[in-house]
């Protein structure tokens, strides 16, 4: 599921030629991920939707991973539901909402991934959704700026 960003050669050449400090390689530093993780972890656990709870957040490689627990049902049984894929697709779309969290902002121009892992009360995984932080909607990358 790892995604790799393709960098623009002309943009990179411009950054090198102009010596602009604002131009960065976009790599994710472990320190930035750790700082974001620590800030988010300090607010947990907290409700997600209905009976789901955001239980923890961790750094796994270049991904920031929220673990969201359901006290009801079991992952194995739920995955057999004919509408299971609809739920997973809805959560993949909902993941974009995490982009607007001010704590996430330092990751939006990096190679970090944002991931949510939904688990049952026993730790069984219902599913995971993931997106590159760079894929966050443009309106969320300028905190406080009005959307176009």
């Amino acid at each position: 599921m790892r995604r790799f960003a393709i960098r623009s050669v002309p943009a990179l050449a411009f950054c090198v030629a102009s010596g602009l400090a604002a131009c960065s390689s976009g790599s994710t530093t472990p320190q930035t991920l750790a700082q974001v993780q620590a800030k988010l972890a300090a607010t947990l656990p907290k409700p997600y939707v209905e009976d789901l709870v955001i239980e923890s957040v961790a750094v796994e490689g270049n991904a920031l991973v929220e673990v969201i627990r359901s006290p009801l049902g079991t992952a194995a049984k739920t995955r057999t539901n004919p509408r299971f894929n609809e739920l997973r697709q809805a959560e993949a779309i909902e993941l974009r909402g995490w982009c607007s969290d001010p704590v996430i902002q330092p990751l939006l121009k990096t190679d970090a991934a944002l991931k949510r892992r939904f688990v049952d009360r026993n730790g069984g995984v219902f599913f995971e959704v993931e997106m590159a932080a760079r894929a966050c909607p443009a309106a969320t990358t300028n905190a406080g700026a009005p959307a176009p």
Side-chain angles (χ1 to χ4, degrees), residues 49-79:
V49 294
E50 297 179 15
D51 60 343
L52 302 178
V53 174
I54 302 172
E55 184 175 83
S56 64
V57 63
V59 174
E60 295 179 5
N62 75 326
L64 187 66
V65 183
E66 273 188 331
V67 176
I68 301 174
R69 188 170 302 276
S70 172
L72 306 173
T74 60
K77 185 175 181 181
T78 301
R79 286 192 305 266

Side-chain angles (χ1 to χ4, degrees), residues 66-129:
E66 273 188 331
V67 176
I68 301 174
R69 188 170 302 276
S70 172
L72 306 173
T74 60
K77 185 175 181 181
T78 301
R79 286 192 305 266
T80 65
N81 185 305
R83 299 190 70 192
F84 177 74
N85 282 332
E86 292 175 39
L87 174 63
R88 189 173 43 154
Q89 290 170 349
E91 285 298 338
I93 293 167
E94 186 62 31
L95 180 59
R96 294 171 44 171
W98 199 12
C99 297
S100 64
D101 186 331
V103 177
I104 299 297
Q105 299 302 305
L107 299 177
L108 299 187
K109 293 186 178 184
T110 71
D111 292 334
L114 304 177
K115 183 186 289 190
R116 285 187 172 149
R117 180 176 299 136
F118 293 83
V119 299
D120 66 18
R121 66 182 169 267
N122 298 315
V125 177
F126 289 101
F127 60 90
E128 294 181 352
V129 292

